[in-house]
Amino acid sequence: MPWFERWLGYAEPIGHGLLTTAALSAVAIAMGFAVAIALHLTRTRGPLPARGLVGVYVSFFRGTPLLVQLLMLFYLPAAFGLDLNPWLAAGLVLALNSAAFQSEILRSGFEAIPVAQLEAARVFGLSERQIFRHIQLPQVLRLTFPALVNEAVDIIKGSAVVSVLAIADLMRVGKQLVAVSYRPLEVYLAIALAYLVLTTLVSWGAARLVRARSTGAAA
């Protein structure tokens, strides 16, 4: 059977795996962003012990392998007689890992905002909540958008580790196809191309969004 005919046979399971990877990554990135905002606010406005805990959290998730984090969270509840759903474990670990990196990205954006802007906003009577929502956050998102997109791409690629929990993502589908076809190079090349398509779409969509915003601002 020609290789392209075999690839056609791979298309359906790889498509399902692609959707699983995309959905899991999207949830993790969104949850990670929300946690990253909370981490930043705690680090800058919280009590000293809480700031220290944030530092430990960020150091742990940035300094240890994602696979180790995944296995720890999955098997830790078992030590207390609890079973954790693999999907929940995968989503939580990806989100917590991404939050640590996103918090550092966001911190650089917040630090880039001139202090004079914040002081002027306080003089005009804006509350800290209003300053954060209307002055800081829009600028931070604009300044850090490329780095956040890179983090999203990294999460998509890093999500391959969830296959160890028998989640039918792209990598898991690839392992199953190899077990049936006995053609690992051919299958993993198709899996690599699927990941490339997904990450390229994310990068392309982000670039289009930046161009659209730039055109709107210029108009």
Side-chain angles (χ1 to χ4, degrees), residues 12-207:
E12 183 175 354
I14 287 178
H16 289 305
L18 185 66
L19 291 176
T20 298
T21 292
L24 189 61
S25 299
V27 170
I29 292 164
M31 289 177 57
F33 181 79
V35 175
I37 291 292
L39 291 174
H40 172 76
L41 294 177
T42 302
R43 174 179 278 172
T44 55
R45 305 180 187 180
L48 190 59
R51 298 182 189 186
L53 289 175
V54 169
V56 171
Y57 170 93
V58 172
S59 296
F60 174 80
F61 279 97
R62 294 183 70 207
T64 57
L66 181 57
L67 178 59
V68 174
Q69 298 165 16
L70 179 64
L71 294 176
M72 282 182 60
L73 183 61
F74 183 69
Y75 289 112
L76 182 61
F80 300 95
L82 302 174
D83 290 328
L84 187 61
N85 183 281
W87 285 90
L88 180 59
L92 277 176
V93 169
L94 289 175
L96 294 175
N97 179 276
S98 182
F101 286 91
Q102 290 192 63
S103 68
E104 291 298 292
I105 294 170
L106 294 175
R107 182 169 70 162
S108 67
F110 280 104
E111 291 177 350
I113 298 176
V115 177
Q117 286 190 20
L118 308 182
E119 293 176 346
R122 295 186 183 100
V123 168
F124 281 101
L126 272 68
S127 67
E128 291 299 323
R129 183 188 297 268
Q130 291 173 322
I131 292 173
F132 176 80
R133 180 178 177 183
H134 298 292
I135 296 177
Q136 290 180 294
L137 192 56
Q139 293 187 73
V140 167
L141 290 177
R142 186 176 69 253
L143 292 170
T144 62
F145 187 71
L148 292 174
V149 172
N150 288 337
E151 169 59 17
V153 170
D154 286 342
I155 283 295
I156 292 172
K157 295 185 294 184
S159 68
V161 302
V162 306
S163 63
V164 302
L165 301 185
I167 294 175
D169 70 321
L170 268 175
M171 184 57 67
R172 183 72 177 183
V173 167
K175 293 177 181 178
Q176 292 170 341
L177 289 174
V178 168
V180 173
S181 67
Y182 300 101
R183 297 178 181 274
L185 179 60
E186 186 176 282
V187 170
Y188 285 127
L189 177 58
I191 295 297
L193 290 175
Y195 275 111
L196 181 61
V197 167
L198 184 55
T199 55
T200 300
L201 286 174
V202 171
S203 299
W204 176 80

